[in-house]
Amino acid sequence: MADLNQIDLQALAKGDKRSWDAFVVAGAPLINAMVRRALASYGLGEEDVMDAAQDVFVRLCAQDFRLLKTYDPTRAGLSTWLAVIARSAAIDHVRRRRRPTQPIDEIPETALGVEDRHIEKLKIPQGLLTERQTLILKYIYDEERDVADIAQLLKVDPQTIRSTQHRALTRLRAYFREGTE
């Protein structure tokens, strides 16, 4: 671990090849051990350990070393921080492995089709909502428009659309809650 603490993190975050190579050599034993420990209870083999450990290094250097730049030595030691990332990568690896995958060509078209269901519209009493609330709900739910599109169409801020939607839904919930009691 002492070698890991000798790494120049500034140079590493800037993409210095020598620093990266030294970091990989120093960090690999810790990362491999943490990944192996995290995967042990899932019965995954050495190939999975190596894949998940490799994913840690990919995460650290992805997007111009974005994750690596988040390391704060005042909050944790580098080995602790790497151990947390390694464990997280191992768990993500397990989740990806357990996701059922099947080539789309093998799935019957009936399973991919969207069921054409008649959806009964909610009957909203006249005067319960303002005209603007009714219009915004129509755009969002009937026409399936995006909030940004609606805001541009109505020439208002997107937050105005969201808050108007929220107030309308609050009124509807209160009205229908009273009707069921």
Side-chain angles (χ1 to χ4, degrees):
M1 293 306 157
D3 293 339
L4 192 57
N5 294 322
Q6 302 301 319
I7 305 293
D8 180 4
L9 293 177
Q10 250 89 43
L12 184 61
K14 290 178 184 172
D16 179 64
K17 173 107 172 75
R18 269 196 187 151
S19 296
W20 179 255
D21 291 344
F23 175 75
V24 169
V25 169
L30 169 70
I31 290 170
N32 289 340
M34 284 307 300
V35 168
R36 189 171 285 109
R37 186 178 304 150
L39 296 181
S41 62
Y42 297 102
L44 298 177
E46 192 62 24
E47 188 174 310
D48 289 301
V49 169
M50 298 313 291
D51 286 347
Q54 183 65 33
D55 189 44
V56 173
F57 290 110
V58 170
R59 287 180 184 198
L60 289 170
C61 66
Q63 298 174 355
D64 193 32
F65 300 93
R66 192 181 107 237
L67 179 60
L68 188 62
K69 291 175 183 175
T70 65
Y71 170 65
D72 181 2
T74 62
R75 294 185 66 200
L78 184 58
S79 58
T80 303
W81 185 76
L82 280 175
V84 169
I85 292 171
R87 185 175 184 286
S88 174
I91 291 168
D92 288 347
H93 181 78
V94 170
R95 288 179 182 147
R96 280 192 305 272
R97 292 252 338 200
R98 293 193 172 190
R99 233 181 260 149
T101 57
Q102 183 178 10
I104 197 161
D105 295 339
E106 295 177 10
I107 301 173
E109 271 193 54
T110 55
L112 296 174
V114 177
E115 185 180 324
D116 186 20
R117 297 180 293 176
H118 173 72
I119 299 173
E120 187 176 330
K121 283 194 169 188
L122 184 64
K123 290 176 179 57
I124 300 172
Q126 193 73 22
L128 180 64
L129 302 177
T130 66
E131 284 183 38
R132 175 174 243 170
Q133 289 172 335
T134 303
L135 179 65
I136 288 174
L137 291 182
K138 178 181 163 243
Y139 283 149
I140 292 173
Y141 296 107
D142 292 346
E143 298 181 15
E144 298 180 0
R145 290 188 183 208
D146 185 65
V147 169
D149 295 337
I150 300 168
Q152 189 175 19
L153 178 71
L154 298 178
K155 295 180 176 56
V156 294
D157 188 78
Q159 184 56 40
T160 303
I161 302 299
R162 288 197 239 2
S163 62
T164 304
Q165 175 193 14
H166 175 74
R167 282 193 301 274
L169 293 176
T170 301
R171 279 187 181 180
L172 287 170
R173 285 185 194 111
Y175 175 82
F176 285 106
R177 194 174 300 127
E178 288 173 12
T180 59
E181 292 176 356

